[in-house]
């Protein structure tokens, strides 16, 4: 039996973490993998990973003279390699993974003989993102507001053909995702 992966991607502030845990509660799933937690853990082993692990999706391009999207993809590739190692060691039937590095390229790399996958991209308008960033800025320092142009570019890149969700109402978004996951993965 294949492990079922529910991937929640999107730029910072789109509600990936909140939705991942709400979805886990609603569907009775006990494994949620957070890209942010993986990144925090890897900082303890700084010498073992390349420079792209220790940057952000929207500033990775600064490490070399490359475009925002190229930097995002290099950062994503570095993080997603670690995520693949983590999920290959989890023996649960269903796993939710949430993070801004999840993208179409990552989905292509996952072993389809071993996993059934649903990839959901969460998206918001720039105005809604800025509103959320201003709220979060009061809680912790981030550089999201000053990097909004880069984040917008990544947001556009992340849009997928199958399932993009505009996450402006939490309960409606949870219900839409639950229905979609049940329909596609029979969870």
């Amino acid at each position: 039996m294949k492990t079922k992966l529910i991937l929640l991607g999107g730029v910072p502030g789109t509600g990936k973490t909140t939705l991942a845990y709400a979805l886990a509660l609603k569907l009775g799933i006990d494994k949620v993998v957070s890209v942010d937690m993986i990144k925090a853990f890897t900082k303890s082993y700084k010498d073992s990973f390349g420079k792209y692990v220790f940057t952000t999706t929207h500033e990775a391009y600064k490490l070399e003279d490359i475009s925002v999207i190229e930097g995002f993809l290099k950062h994503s590739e570095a993080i997603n390699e670690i995520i693949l190692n983590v999920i290959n060691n989890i023996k649960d039937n269903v796993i939710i993974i949430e993070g801004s590095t999840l993208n179409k390229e990552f989905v292509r790399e996952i072993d389809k003989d071993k996993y059934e996958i649903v990839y959901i991209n969460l998206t918001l308008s720039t105005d809604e993102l800025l509103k959320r960033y201003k709220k979060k800025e009061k809680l912790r320092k981030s550089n999201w507001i000053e990097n909004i142009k880069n984040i917008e570019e990544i947001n556009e890149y992340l849009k997928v053909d199958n399932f993009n969700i505009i996450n402006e109402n939490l309960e409606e978004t949870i219900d839409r995702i639950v229905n979609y996951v049940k329909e596609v993965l029979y969870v």
Side-chain angles (χ1 to χ4, degrees), residues 2-185:
K2 293 181 182 181
T3 299
K4 298 175 186 206
L5 298 179
I6 301 166
L7 308 175
L8 296 176
V11 297
T14 53
K16 296 176 300 293
T17 304
T18 302
L19 285 166
Y21 288 102
L23 187 60
L25 285 171
K26 198 103 165 175
L27 293 172
I29 299 168
D30 65 352
K31 286 291 185 286
V32 176
V33 176
S34 166
V35 169
D36 287 344
M37 293 303 289
I38 301 275
K39 283 176 67 172
F41 176 75
T42 58
K43 288 183 179 175
S44 314
Y45 299 92
K46 218 172 191 150
D47 297 334
S48 303
F49 301 99
K51 62 185 176 183
Y52 279 98
V53 168
F54 305 104
T55 185
T56 63
T57 55
H58 51 276
E59 291 187 322
Y61 75 98
K62 292 179 179 179
L63 296 176
E64 296 179 58
D65 188 19
I66 56 178
S67 73
V68 169
I69 298 302
E70 289 173 309
F72 164 72
L73 290 172
K74 285 186 175 213
H75 172 68
S76 296
E77 184 179 331
I79 296 293
N80 292 344
E81 184 178 326
I82 298 165
I83 293 169
L84 283 173
N85 286 327
V86 168
I87 64 173
N88 283 329
N89 289 299
I90 297 175
K91 303 300 178 213
D92 285 40
N93 293 332
V94 185
I95 306 167
I96 297 172
I97 306 170
E98 64 83 16
S100 57
T101 63
L102 305 179
N103 56 50
K104 301 169 265 196
E105 286 75 15
F106 178 65
V107 172
R108 280 189 214 113
E109 288 183 31
I110 297 172
D111 183 351
K112 308 302 184 286
D113 292 331
K114 189 173 178 181
Y115 299 102
E116 283 183 65
I117 305 156
V118 62
Y119 171 55
I120 299 164
N121 180 59
L122 301 171
T123 187
L124 288 169
S125 68
T126 301
D127 289 343
E128 185 62 29
L129 282 173
L130 284 169
K131 199 178 336 174
R132 290 183 182 197
Y133 293 171
K134 286 175 185 163
K135 252 189 221 177
K136 284 197 178 228
E137 193 73 22
K138 293 175 185 173
L139 301 172
R140 66 181 170 106
K141 180 73 179 131
S142 75
N143 59 2
W144 296 341
I145 293 171
E146 56 266 24
N147 281 291
I148 192 64
K149 293 291 181 209
N150 297 345
I151 291 170
E152 284 177 309
E153 192 174 334
I154 294 166
N155 193 32
E156 198 56 40
Y157 176 82
L158 286 173
K159 289 184 180 167
V160 292
D161 298 333
N162 57 345
F163 204 66
N164 295 291
I165 290 191
I166 299 170
N167 177 27
E168 291 182 0
N169 178 298
L170 184 62
E171 285 305 313
E172 285 177 21
T173 303
I174 291 168
D175 289 343
R176 284 188 64 203
I177 293 174
V178 165
N179 291 335
Y180 182 67
V181 167
K182 284 180 176 179
E183 180 184 312
V184 174
L185 292 183

